[in-house]
Every structure is written in structure tokens, then in C-alpha cells.
Amino acid sequence: MAERIEVNPKILGGKPVIRGTRIPVYLILELLSAGYDFKRIMEAYPTLREEDIKAAIEYATEIVKNQEVVEYVVT
């Protein structure tokens, strides 16, 4: 995953992107959520490979899996 996902403050304000592109991980997730399959995404973004899309899913999975919920109580 690390070889395919890049986080650089100089690219899209530090949002995770597919390495060597300005295609953010969130865009790939939005397209999948909208019903695009891998083939359709790669047709829309010819620089992407199947491994890039899988890496975006894996990256998002790790973020969510490791996210901790903290409850703040305002008094």
C-alpha cells in the first residue's frame, strides 16, 4: 500500500493520493460508492491500475479500523 498511496503536504493539501497522480483516495471511494466498478474507474482515469484502487480501499480500511472514538463532554 505504501508504494501506491502518497501523503504530501504539497499535493492536495496533504490529502492521500495515488502516488504519482493528483487522484485522491476519497475520489476513488466516492466513485465506488456511486456504483462505479474498477473497470469504469480505470476508463475514467487511465493512469490508474487495479492495484491503485485496491490500495485506496486498503488505506481507507486501515484508517477506519484504527480510528478511536473520543467522547467530549461540554459542561
Side-chain angles (χ1 to χ4, degrees), residues 20-51:
T21 76
R22 295 181 62 81
I23 301 171
V25 168
Y26 75 78
L27 175 64
I28 294 170
L29 299 174
E30 286 177 343
L31 293 172
L32 290 167
S33 177
Y36 283 55
D37 59 18
F38 284 25
K39 181 180 176 191
R40 189 169 173 198
I41 293 172
M42 291 185 296
E43 287 171 354
Y45 297 91
T47 59
L48 288 180
R49 301 289 169 251
E50 184 173 330
E51 294 78 14

Side-chain angles (χ1 to χ4, degrees), residues 6-73:
E6 177 178 18
V7 178
N8 180 335
K10 295 180 181 181
I11 301 173
L12 288 181
K15 293 199 180 336
V17 299
I18 302 302
R19 186 174 298 283
T21 76
R22 295 181 62 81
I23 301 171
V25 168
Y26 75 78
L27 175 64
I28 294 170
L29 299 174
E30 286 177 343
L31 293 172
L32 290 167
S33 177
Y36 283 55
D37 59 18
F38 284 25
K39 181 180 176 191
R40 189 169 173 198
I41 293 172
M42 291 185 296
E43 287 171 354
Y45 297 91
T47 59
L48 288 180
R49 301 289 169 251
E50 184 173 330
E51 294 78 14
D52 297 324
I53 299 169
K54 289 178 179 179
I57 295 167
E58 183 181 338
Y59 180 85
T61 300
E62 288 300 314
I63 294 294
V64 172
K65 184 168 60 173
N66 293 314
Q67 183 179 25
E68 292 186 27
V69 176
V70 178
E71 184 177 342
Y72 293 97
V73 179

